[in-house]
């Protein structure tokens, strides 16, 4: 597998419960390296732009409101097969279906408040990373 980069977001439900370090440790324990990271508070416009692909879905407004409800940690993860590895470490979107030991199984409060977001494909990863970081921000 090739070395890749992917975007990871630690969502407001997890930052509110002070789980940032525990979640980052799971990524690092799986062999992913944090090469950029910052804690931010999304504006409504930013959340709407980032999740714009879901604009026509019934959950869009609730998703935006959730993502602006508190700080998030946006980060770029790097490693062999980083996109797939990140998704494996996160677990299924619905925590009830997530495998034991995954972030969502251990920390998610619900399918909506599931603690983390991760890019699902190389093109999405590239676009999502550019949304939050300049090239100068990413140091491997």
């Amino acid at each position: 597998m090739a070395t890749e980069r992917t975007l990871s977001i630690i969502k407001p439900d997890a930052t509110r419960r002070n789980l940032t370090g525990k979640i980052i440790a799971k990524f690092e324990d799986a062999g992913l390296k944090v090469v950029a990271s910052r804690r931010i508070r999304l504006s409504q416009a930013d959340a709407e732009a980032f999740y714009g692909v879901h604009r026509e879905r019934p959950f869009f407004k609730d998703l935006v409101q959730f993502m602006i409800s508190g700080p998030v940690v946006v980060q770029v993860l790097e490693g062999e097969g980083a996109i797939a590895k990140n998704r494996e470490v996160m677990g299924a979107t619905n925590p009830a279906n997530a495998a034991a030991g995954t972030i969502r199984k251990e920390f998610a409060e619900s399918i909506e408040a599931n603690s983390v977001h991760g890019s699902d494909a190389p093109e999405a990863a590239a676009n999502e990373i550019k949304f939050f970081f300049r090239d100068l921000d990413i140091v491997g």
Side-chain angles (χ1 to χ4, degrees):
M1 272 194 209
T3 298
E4 296 176 322
R5 288 182 174 161
T6 189
L7 183 82
S8 168
I9 301 176
I10 301 175
K11 295 181 178 181
D13 63 297
T15 62
R16 181 182 70 249
R17 292 178 289 139
N18 205 29
L19 297 173
T20 303
K22 290 178 181 178
I23 290 172
I24 292 171
K26 285 196 168 284
F27 292 130
E28 291 179 333
D29 290 348
L32 295 169
K33 182 178 180 180
V34 178
V35 295
S37 180
R38 59 186 207 175
R39 186 179 180 97
I40 62 172
R41 183 131 193 182
L42 292 171
S43 69
Q44 183 161 339
D46 288 338
E48 287 175 351
F50 184 78
Y51 287 106
V53 66
H54 300 300
R55 187 171 302 280
E56 300 305 318
R57 300 236 174 128
F59 61 81
F60 177 73
K61 287 183 181 180
D62 289 340
L63 174 61
V64 168
Q65 289 306 303
F66 170 65
M67 291 302 292
I68 67 173
S69 69
V72 298
V73 175
V74 291
Q75 53 192 357
V76 179
L77 304 177
E78 182 179 82
E80 292 293 315
I83 296 166
K85 178 61 72 177
N86 179 35
R87 297 189 70 74
E88 178 185 322
V89 172
M90 287 190 310
T93 301
N94 183 344
N97 300 331
T102 63
I103 291 168
R104 289 176 172 153
K105 189 64 162 187
E106 289 188 24
F107 303 125
E109 295 178 317
S110 67
I111 192 170
E112 294 85 14
N114 62 13
S115 299
V116 285
H117 163 90
S119 305
D120 63 359
E123 184 177 295
N127 291 334
E128 291 179 353
I129 289 168
K130 286 180 187 173
F131 189 89
F132 291 107
F133 297 98
R134 299 174 304 143
D135 287 344
L136 289 174
D137 297 327
I138 304 170
V139 290

